[in-house]
């Protein structure tokens, strides 16, 4: 969603990694883990400049985005080992000395992704991929021992003689079906584990821009407290919390210059911005078990009178969770500080919410609940966003 080119690159790297791992007789669990790491290996490329750098064979300052990827993932149980692989996926083999880097052990899987990653960068769009196999191998072989583990290069030498491998790469590049799909192992998560994953998504969403760096944390916190004060059951409160973290995931399609524009948006820019709820809905539709969470998340710009977007739903078509999310999003947006303006004080915030309720835009009962528990809800927002701001500042230091 952020960068189709980088997404395409990561798919190629994952496919190459999978085939190399099979050549090396990796056992299933290890192969699955390294393939997941390959899909996510450039998750730390948050800026356009970073994305461009990593797509060149001789990558410029490659360890920055790898470290950012590690920082994003390391605190989540499901990704803790994968984060270690990603952290050092640009470390050169250096005749075996690359098993340590800056005093830390480097996992062998990191070196496998390093090789797959560099193979992918050598693929040209100018001719059929199978015609490039000798040129690509010669370039890789010339760096064996220096950049790459020689055993892994030998595995690539065996793999390069299998025509299906190159045909599959061609099909992936052309968005066609291909022969050998990667069989990722599904994982079932309970609601608390799911909240952790959605919090990770919130960081990826928000950290693209200093203007929105803590917004999802604020919306999630406000929405959860509202649900609790409205006496929703515990599971619903947690689903609403999760939805708050990912309600803006569709904004990954919005250019940073629009996200960071300090003035009002033009008609054309606003049209691009409005698309984000549609993209949130379409993306989350693909996840089994997310049906209710998706509805809560993607309807946050719908309005009771039918004037919202993107589906023009109204009244009884909007669930309580979606109505809560709409109020939480507005409240957070006007209350939080942005780099170009201070957040509004209570009186002005309350007036805005009351007027929107009177105009049948948002739910009057939810607004009344927010006003009744204003101090508690606002403190929860401030606390959540303060922690998020500290995390963002740590990342921002790495991006300079």
């Amino acid at each position: 969603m952020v960068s189709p080119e980088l997404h395409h690159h990561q798919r190629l790297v994952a496919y190459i990694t999978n085939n190399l791992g099979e050549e090396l007789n990796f056992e299933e669990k290890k192969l699955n883990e390294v393939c997941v790491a390959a899909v996510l290996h450039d998750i730390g490329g948050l800026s356009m400049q970073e994305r461009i750098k990593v797509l060149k064979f001789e990558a410029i300052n490659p360890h920055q985005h790898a470290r950012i990827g590690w920082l994003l993932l390391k605190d989540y149980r499901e990704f803790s080992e994968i984060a270690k692989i990603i952290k050092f996926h640009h470390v050169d083999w250096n005749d075996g000395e690359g098993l340590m880097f800056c005093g830390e052990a480097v996992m062998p899987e990191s070196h496998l992704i390093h090789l797959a990653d560099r193979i992918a960068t050598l693929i040209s769009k100018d001719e059929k991929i199978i015609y490039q196999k000798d040129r690509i191998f010669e370039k890789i072989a010339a760096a064996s021992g220096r950049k790459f583990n020689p055993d892994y290069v030998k595995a690539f030498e065996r793999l390069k003689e299998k025509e299906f491998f190159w045909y599959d790469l061609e099909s992936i590049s052309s968005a066609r079906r291909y022969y050998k799909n990667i069989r990722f192992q599904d994982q079932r998560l309970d609601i608390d584990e799911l909240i952790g994953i959605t919090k990770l998504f919130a960081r990826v969403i928000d950290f693209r821009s200093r203007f929105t760096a803590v917004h999802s944390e604020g919306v999630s916190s406000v929405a959860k407290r509202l649900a609790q004060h409205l006496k929703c059951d515990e599971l619903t409160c947690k689903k609403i919390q999760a939805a708050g973290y990912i309600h803006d995931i569709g904004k990954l399609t919005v250019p940073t210059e629009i996200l960071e524009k300090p003035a009002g948006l033009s008609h054309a820019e606003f049209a691009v911005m409005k698309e984000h709820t549609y993209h949130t809905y379409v993306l989350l539709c693909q996840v089994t078990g997310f049906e209710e969470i998706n509805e809560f998340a993607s309807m946050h710009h719908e309005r009771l009178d039918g004037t919202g977007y993107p589906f023009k739903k109204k009244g009884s078509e909007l669930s309580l969770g979606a109505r809560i999310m709409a109020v939480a999003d507005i409240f957070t947006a006007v209350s939080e500080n942005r780099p170009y303006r201070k957040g509004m004080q209570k009186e002005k915030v309350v007036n805005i919410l009351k007027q929107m309720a009177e105009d049948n835009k948002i739910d009057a009962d939810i607004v009344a609940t927010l006003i009744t528990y204003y101090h508690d809800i606002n403190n929860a927002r401030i606390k959540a966003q303060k922690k998020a701001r500290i995390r963002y500042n740590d990342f921002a230091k790495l991006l300079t």
Side-chain angles (χ1 to χ4, degrees):
M1 294 176 78
V2 177
S3 168
E5 185 176 5
L6 189 58
H7 169 66
H8 170 70
H9 169 73
Q10 292 184 150
R11 290 183 67 220
L12 289 176
V13 172
Y15 179 80
I16 296 167
T17 298
N18 182 66
N19 282 273
L20 287 171
E22 289 184 347
E23 285 290 328
L24 292 161
N25 296 314
F26 278 24
E27 54 92 16
E28 186 178 4
K29 183 176 183 297
K30 184 178 180 181
L31 184 61
N32 184 76
E33 196 168 75
V34 72
C35 286
V36 173
V39 169
L40 297 173
H41 75 281
D42 283 337
I43 195 173
L46 299 178
S47 69
M48 183 59 73
Q49 187 178 23
E50 277 296 313
R51 290 178 226 139
I52 292 169
K53 286 178 182 178
V54 300
L55 296 178
K56 297 178 180 178
F57 182 75
E58 296 293 346
I60 304 166
N61 188 21
H63 303 298
Q64 182 186 49
H65 80 275
R67 179 173 170 79
I68 292 170
W70 168 73
L71 285 169
L72 280 169
L73 295 168
K74 70 182 182 67
D75 295 331
Y76 301 94
R77 178 182 61 80
E78 297 82 5
F79 295 117
S80 58
E81 290 301 304
I82 287 162
K84 294 175 187 175
I85 297 172
I86 289 172
K87 186 177 185 180
F88 297 122
H89 77 268
H90 276 291
V91 173
D92 288 339
W93 179 248
N94 196 18
D95 295 320
E97 292 183 14
L99 288 171
M100 295 291 295
F101 187 74
C102 295
E104 294 184 59
V106 177
M107 296 174 72
E109 291 90 337
S110 300
H111 286 287
L112 189 65
I113 292 179
H114 182 36
L115 173 59
D117 185 50
R118 297 302 89 187
I119 291 170
T121 65
L122 291 171
I123 295 172
S124 170
K125 299 175 183 176
D126 298 333
E127 63 176 335
K128 285 187 69 65
I129 293 177
I130 196 167
Y131 299 157
Q132 304 175 47
K133 69 173 189 173
D134 292 332
R135 173 185 60 79
I136 291 172
F137 178 73
E138 287 171 10
K139 183 83 172 179
I140 295 297
S144 181
R146 176 175 61 87
K147 290 183 75 69
F148 310 119
N149 182 331
D151 291 336
Y152 295 171
V153 175
K154 288 176 183 176
F156 179 47
E157 185 175 17
R158 296 193 298 272
L159 182 61
K160 88 175 180 73
E161 297 304 324
K162 300 177 181 180
E163 287 89 352
F164 84 85
F165 172 74
W166 303 100
Y167 297 154
D168 272 359
L169 292 177
E170 186 85 45
S171 292
I172 293 169
S173 298
S174 304
R176 296 193 301 262
R177 290 185 177 275
Y178 51 98
Y179 166 66
K180 186 183 283 188
N181 290 302
I182 302 172
R183 291 194 268 289
F184 290 109
Q185 297 169 348
D186 288 340
Q187 292 190 52
R188 295 183 69 86
L189 305 178
D190 64 31
I191 188 64
D192 293 314
E193 291 170 328
L194 177 63
I195 287 171
I197 298 298
T198 56
K199 185 180 285 192
L200 166 62
F201 291 160
R203 292 185 185 184
V204 175
I205 298 161
D206 289 354
F207 286 7
R208 286 186 66 217
S209 167
R210 62 195 176 94
F211 281 33
T212 60
V214 299
H215 178 69
S216 297
E217 289 273 2
V219 172
S220 178
S221 176
V222 170
K224 180 185 178 183
R225 295 300 289 152
L226 272 171
Q228 289 171 333
H229 287 304
L230 288 161
K231 309 301 182 188
C232 293
D233 62 81
E234 184 180 3
L235 180 59
T236 299
C237 289
K238 288 183 175 182
K239 286 183 176 181
I240 288 171
Q241 180 185 7
Y245 281 129
I246 54 177
H247 77 287
D248 272 347
I249 197 167
K251 280 188 178 175
L252 294 175
T253 64
V254 178
T256 306
E257 55 265 30
I258 292 179
L259 292 177
E260 297 201 335
K261 188 174 181 180
L265 299 179
S266 68
H267 181 74
E269 289 167 337
F270 185 59
V272 173
M273 180 67 82
K274 284 174 67 176
E275 290 183 27
H276 79 272
T277 49
Y278 162 81
H279 290 296
T280 294
Y281 183 83
V282 171
L283 178 66
L284 298 182
C285 267
Q286 301 174 51
V287 186
T288 302
F290 260 51
E291 293 79 11
E292 196 172 19
I293 291 171
N294 186 11
E295 202 265 344
F296 297 163
S298 57
M299 305 295 166
H300 67 276
H301 280 292
E302 299 291 344
R303 297 294 178 252
L304 296 179
D305 64 355
T307 60
Y309 58 87
F311 301 109
K312 290 293 182 283
K313 290 181 179 287
K314 58 183 179 180
S316 61
E317 295 178 285
L318 295 168
S319 68
L320 177 62
R323 294 173 185 226
I324 288 172
M325 203 62 60
V327 174
D329 184 59
I330 295 164
F331 173 78
T332 304
V334 298
S335 299
E336 65 191 358
N337 292 327
R338 296 282 176 91
Y340 57 90
R341 58 124 172 106
K342 295 286 288 182
M344 297 177 187
Q345 295 302 305
K346 178 179 178 179
E347 183 179 358
K348 193 168 184 180
V349 172
V350 168
N351 286 339
I352 289 172
L353 293 174
K354 279 184 172 180
Q355 187 61 57
M356 291 187 73
E358 288 174 14
D359 293 340
N360 196 34
K361 302 292 185 184
I362 55 178
D363 192 300
D365 291 337
I366 296 174
V367 170
T369 300
L370 190 150
I371 293 170
T372 299
Y373 298 100
Y374 190 99
H375 182 72
D376 172 68
I377 292 170
N378 197 43
N379 277 351
R381 175 192 66 78
I382 292 169
K383 183 178 179 181
Q385 292 191 311
K386 190 174 290 185
K387 288 181 179 179
R389 179 60 65 180
I390 291 169
R391 285 196 298 270
Y392 172 75
N393 288 340
D394 289 340
F395 277 99
K397 291 173 187 175
L398 289 171
L399 292 171
T400 56

